[in-house]
Amino acid sequence: TIGELLTLLSDDAQSVESAFTEAKTSQLRFIGQFLSSIFVSFTINWTLATVTFASIICSSGLMKLFRQISLVYMNKKFSSMSKSVTIADESLSNSRVVFSFNRQKRDAERYDDQVNEACEFDKKARISNGVGFSLAYLLNWSAVIFSLNIGSYFVLKGKMTVGELFSFTRISFETP
C-alpha cells in the first residue's frame, strides 16, 4: 500500500541522514584530534614534532604516488578485460562466421592474450600497492625510532624530561 511505501521511504531517508551525520561528526573529531596533537607536540618539543610531521607528509606523499601508479595499472587491467569480453562476445554471437572461416583457435588465442595481459596489469598494480604501503610503514616506524632516540638524547642532556618525552610519544604516535 501507499502507507507502507511512504514508511519505507521515510525509514530509508532517516538511515541515510543518520549515517551521514555520524560520518561527519567522526571526521570533525579526527580533525580536532589531529590539530590538537600538532599544537601540543610542537609545544612540547618543536624539533621532534618537525621530524614526526615531516615523516607523516612524506609517507602520505609516497602512498599517493604509489596509489596513482596502481590506479593506472588497474585502469589498464579493466580495459584489457573489456577487450577480452568483447572478443568472447563477438566469437559467441557470430559462431557461424567463426566456424566458416576456421578461426576458433585464433579467437581463443586472442582471448587468452587479453586475459594474460589483464593478469599482468593486475600483478603490477598489486606490487605497486604493496611497495607503497611497505615504504610508508617503514618511513613511519623509522620516524618513531628516530624521534625516540633524539628524545632520549634530549632527556640525557636535560633539555627535556621523561614525562615530556612520554607525552610527546603518546600525542604524536597514537592520535588517529
Side-chain angles (χ1 to χ4, degrees), residues 99-118:
F99 285 119
S100 64
F101 288 104
N102 200 20
R103 292 188 49 104
Q104 301 95 323
K105 187 174 181 178
R106 173 86 171 117
D107 281 357
E109 289 172 356
R110 286 178 49 216
Y111 176 78
D112 285 342
D113 289 344
Q114 286 298 317
V115 170
N116 288 337
E117 183 179 88

Side-chain angles (χ1 to χ4, degrees), residues 25-161:
T25 55
S26 295
Q27 287 175 349
L28 287 175
R29 187 182 81 221
F30 291 144
I31 288 171
Q33 286 178 338
F34 181 70
L35 292 177
S36 65
S37 70
I38 290 174
F39 176 74
V40 170
S41 62
F42 273 97
T43 303
I44 292 172
N45 192 313
W46 68 271
T47 53
L48 291 178
T50 303
V51 169
T52 302
F53 290 106
S55 74
I56 290 172
I57 291 169
C58 290
S59 64
S60 298
L62 273 173
M63 288 296 297
K64 185 172 182 163
L65 173 71
F66 280 99
R67 187 181 66 204
Q68 292 298 325
I69 292 170
S70 180
L71 285 174
V72 167
Y73 285 127
M74 289 303 273
N75 286 336
K76 288 180 180 181
K77 172 199 165 194
F78 290 131
S79 174
S80 187
M81 288 300 291
S82 173
K83 289 176 187 176
S84 70
V85 169
T86 302
I87 291 169
D89 183 47
E90 288 174 355
S91 297
L92 292 174
S93 63
N94 299 318
S95 59
R96 289 183 181 171
V97 174
V98 171
F99 285 119
S100 64
F101 288 104
N102 200 20
R103 292 188 49 104
Q104 301 95 323
K105 187 174 181 178
R106 173 86 171 117
D107 281 357
E109 289 172 356
R110 286 178 49 216
Y111 176 78
D112 285 342
D113 289 344
Q114 286 298 317
V115 170
N116 288 337
E117 183 179 88
C119 289
E120 285 298 316
F121 288 136
D122 184 56
K123 182 171 66 171
K124 289 178 182 178
R126 290 173 189 269
I127 288 171
S128 175
N129 269 340
V131 168
F133 277 107
S134 298
L135 287 177
Y137 188 77
L138 181 68
L139 183 65
N140 282 336
W141 281 107
S142 298
V144 169
I145 291 169
F146 183 74
S147 296
L148 288 174
N149 282 330
I150 298 297
S152 300
Y153 175 77
F154 287 163
V155 168
L156 291 176
K157 292 297 180 181
K159 295 180 182 179
M160 187 178 200
T161 65

